[in-house]
Amino acid sequence: MKLGRMNHLGYAVPDMDTAIAHYRDVMGAEVITEPFDLPEQGVKVCFVNTPGHDGTEGTQVELLSPLDENSPVAGFIAKNPLGGQHHVCFEVPDIGAAREYFEGVGKRILGPTRIGAHGTPIFFVHPKDMLGMLTEIMETPKNGPAH
Ligand SMILES: CC[C@H](C(=O)O)C(=O)SCCNC(=O)CCNC(=O)[C@H](O)C(C)(C)COP(=O)(O)OP(=O)(O)OC[C@H]1O[C@@H](n2cnc3c(N)ncnc32)[C@H](O)[C@@H]1OP(=O)(O)O
Ligand SMILES: [Co+2]
């Protein structure tokens, strides 16, 4: 499988406004979207970009808060009331080939491949099969980064 860049760090937070204020005012990061809901994923999302250096591309933090108690991040927040690092997302050129690869090496894929917050197909691999890190695999946007 051909691994691409790290697209974002997923960060689960109990309160989106508090988290945005922290990254904007304390960290001086660039809040690049208004918070938006992804009801099908059970989360409210907001993207925060940090600057690159020496001409390299910056990084992105994906702030996530639960839309309701059934949200996949609700359980995480219950165990981590302050919030915390929830997942990491890597890009791949072909999501179908990547899914076959991970299944082929015995990693548990969580649910169907679906459209993620960046508007491209994604799937998740179980943290217990990924050294404790919930791992999102995302197909590289064909027309450059959506956010
Ligand atoms: C898609 C939109 C957006 C995008 O970027 O495009 C997103 O990223 S949305 C992100 C939210 N969606 C998801 O996280 C979907 C995938 N997640 C899941 O399927 C579940 O959350 C799962 C299976 C990771 C955990 O399910 P649940 O919380 O119901 O199970 P447990 O609490 O019993 O956890 C089982 C076991 O795993 C450990 N765990 C849970 N969450 C994480 C995590 N984020 N990172 C690392 N480990 C995690 C938990 O501690 C349990 O371990 P144990 O030793 O048994 O206590
Ligand atoms: Co994500």
Side-chain angles (χ1 to χ4, degrees):
M1 180 195 72
K2 187 165 170 24
L3 185 63
R5 65 192 274 268
M6 183 186 289
N7 180 275
H8 63 267
L9 171 69
Y11 205 94
V13 295
D15 179 77
M16 184 59 79
D17 291 338
T18 304
I20 289 171
H22 172 79
Y23 273 93
R24 183 190 59 231
D25 304 336
V26 175
M27 301 301 287
E30 185 187 1
V31 181
I32 64 162
T33 61
E34 284 298 315
F36 59 97
D37 291 354
L38 279 181
E40 65 280 11
Q41 308 288 346
V43 290
K44 183 181 293 289
V45 184
C46 182
F47 292 118
V48 172
N49 282 359
T50 64
H53 60 86
D54 300 338
T56 62
E57 197 181 358
T59 56
Q60 184 171 86
V61 173
E62 177 184 78
L63 298 175
L64 298 161
S65 60
L67 284 178
D68 56 39
E69 69 281 352
N70 300 314
S71 168
V73 300
F76 184 91
I77 294 292
K79 291 182 184 172
N80 305 276
L82 289 180
Q85 179 170 312
H86 181 261
H87 66 274
V88 67
C89 179
F90 293 100
E91 291 183 13
V92 293
D94 180 334
I95 197 76
R99 187 172 181 122
E100 280 177 27
Y101 167 76
F102 280 107
E103 287 170 340
V105 293
K107 307 301 182 186
R108 285 167 284 177
I109 308 289
L110 296 161
T113 298
R114 60 247 196 217
I115 299 300
H118 291 79
T120 67
I122 61 114
F123 62 80
F124 286 90
V125 191
H126 201 290
K128 294 295 184 193
D129 297 341
M130 301 297 280
L131 300 182
M133 175 68 82
L134 176 59
T135 302
E136 178 181 350
I137 302 297
M138 165 188 160
E139 189 164 274
T140 300
K142 298 280 187 281
N143 307 313
H147 294 291

